[in-house]
Amino acid sequence: MCNNIKQKSIFYGETEIVVKREDLIHPIISGNKFRKLKYNIEKAKDLKIKSLLTFGGAFSNHIAALAYAGNLYGFRTIGVIRGEELRHATELNPTLTIAKSNGMKFKFVSREAYRLKSNSTFVNQLKDEFGAFYLVPEGGTNDLAIKGCEEILQLEDLKFEYVCCPVGTGGTIAGIINASNKNQKILGFPALKGDFLNQDIRKFAKQDNWELITDYHFGGYGKIKPELISFINSFKKEYNIPLDPIYTGKMMFGIFNLIDKSYFPKGSRVLVVHTGGLKGVCGINEILKRKNLPLIEI
């Protein structure tokens, strides 16, 4: 499934950008979600654990991907969902609908309780409620996820001076850093505000050839502005590559803006990792409808 990942060259001004289409790995378990789950699922199989439990928000691509993967490989899946407002209306949420259709059981918790997701007492309470499970962290990031993400870069990708990727929990970029040539510059584009990501990435990254570009989060995680929607739709029309507004859209907007500012030296070879996330667009469009904002074309 992961062989022969498509790459597409596009031009912005005089700069050639090669987009690595990790989003085409699988329609549901796409991009970095497939990479992060690959070895975690193998580990759960080895341990002979029959259930997978994870955490996520109501529009989490990770939730949908884990539910699908669990169904595919014969696991029971449990999703601890941040926010209680959809407890009795999951059918109104496309992401949760996908997860539910693949057999995932939900536990909706308050935002205060959700912050305890790394607390051992809280996790033990979940074990009392659901029985034994293999815990996949929020966003899927752990040592095994990093191992999977280290497989994103292939030998032919080491020719690029720059490698760009979106950043959520930091696992994907850490894997890319570890697999990169030390002479490459790895640029991460966070979807969140805050400086904590540097510390999180350093827990897993084995090289220092990376930098976070923090100017393109558009207000923080899940924050979307009309300027970003317009860019995503124009990009799709121009290059026939869909982007999502949480991760890849912000990254590509940032890359184009950096090109406008002459950030990349003339003749630079730039590889962009498209990490997927497109299944969440339907849910985002429902929010945009309620706000009378333009919709994202998919």
Side-chain angles (χ1 to χ4, degrees):
M1 191 182 294
C2 284
N3 295 326
N4 301 317
I5 298 302
K6 293 182 180 179
Q7 297 190 357
K8 181 174 182 178
S9 292
I10 65 174
F11 286 86
Y12 181 64
E14 297 182 357
T15 302
E16 181 181 11
I17 300 168
V18 176
V19 182
K20 193 175 184 69
R21 297 292 306 273
E22 289 274 306
D23 58 303
L24 298 177
I25 288 176
H26 189 277
I28 305 293
I29 323 170
S30 74
N32 61 345
K33 303 309 176 192
F34 178 91
R35 303 292 188 180
K36 289 181 174 182
L37 288 174
K38 177 181 175 180
Y39 290 110
N40 276 290
I41 286 176
E42 286 187 8
K43 181 70 172 180
K45 285 182 178 179
D46 291 343
L47 294 172
K48 301 188 185 313
I49 297 176
K50 302 298 185 182
S51 298
L52 307 174
L53 181 142
T54 196
F55 299 86
F59 295 100
S60 167
N61 288 299
H62 169 68
I63 287 288
L66 184 127
Y68 187 96
N71 187 34
L72 182 64
Y73 294 108
F75 290 94
R76 174 185 180 226
T77 57
I78 304 127
V80 181
I81 309 299
R82 181 181 63 246
E84 299 175 290
E85 58 271 13
L86 285 171
R87 182 188 301 273
H88 302 295
T90 56
E91 70 279 357
L92 301 178
N93 180 289
T95 301
L96 296 183
T97 298
I98 291 171
K100 186 177 181 179
S101 70
N102 283 285
M104 178 172 274
K105 304 299 182 184
F106 301 125
K107 180 178 177 65
F108 294 90
V109 298
S110 68
R111 283 162 174 77
E112 292 74 22
Y114 190 84
R115 296 189 188 104
L116 300 173
K117 58 185 178 291
S118 300
N119 181 280
S120 59
T121 300
F122 181 57
V123 172
N124 286 332
Q125 290 172 354
L126 292 172
K127 289 180 179 178
D128 289 340
E129 181 174 352
F130 294 106
F133 55 74
Y134 181 90
L135 176 62
V136 180
E138 180 187 42
T141 293
N142 57 16
D143 288 331
L144 292 175
I146 305 304
K147 180 181 178 181
C149 289
E150 287 173 356
E151 296 176 355
I152 291 174
L153 289 190
Q154 300 299 309
L155 185 61
E156 64 269 20
D157 299 326
L158 301 182
K159 65 186 179 184
F160 293 93
E161 287 86 7
Y162 294 90
V163 180
C164 304
C165 77
V167 178
T169 55
T172 302
I173 190 173
I176 290 172
I177 292 165
N178 293 346
S180 68
N181 186 310
K182 65 180 181 180
N183 296 319
Q184 293 181 293
K185 186 64 175 287
I186 313 302
L187 301 179
F189 293 78
L192 303 85
K193 290 195 294 185
D195 297 327
F196 61 93
L197 278 171
N198 283 285
Q199 183 176 352
D200 290 349
I201 293 167
R202 288 193 184 99
K203 293 177 185 175
F204 299 104
K206 299 175 182 176
Q207 302 192 84
D208 296 321
N209 59 336
W210 58 279
E211 177 185 356
L212 294 185
I213 308 295
T214 59
D215 300 327
Y216 303 103
H217 53 67
F218 283 84
Y221 184 79
K223 303 295 184 182
I224 305 170
K225 296 182 180 179
E227 180 184 16
L228 179 61
I229 299 170
S230 177
F231 172 81
I232 289 171
N233 287 338
S234 296
F235 187 90
K236 173 69 162 54
K237 183 177 180 180
E238 177 73 19
Y239 303 109
N240 196 30
I241 299 175
L243 302 172
D244 82 285
I246 307 299
Y247 295 109
T248 56
K250 293 178 179 180
M251 170 190 64
M252 198 63 73
F253 182 99
I255 291 169
F256 275 28
N257 190 248
L258 290 178
I259 292 172
D260 288 337
K261 295 177 178 179
S262 301
Y263 176 93
F264 300 102
K266 188 174 181 179
S268 296
R269 291 170 293 185
V270 181
L271 179 71
V272 176
V273 180
H274 192 314
T275 53
L278 299 174
K279 278 297 174 183
V281 174
C282 292
I284 296 298
N285 274 342
E286 291 299 319
I287 296 175
L288 296 176
K289 281 180 185 178
R290 294 196 291 269
K291 294 183 177 181
N292 293 315
L293 291 172
L295 302 184
I296 296 164
E297 298 172 11
I298 53 176

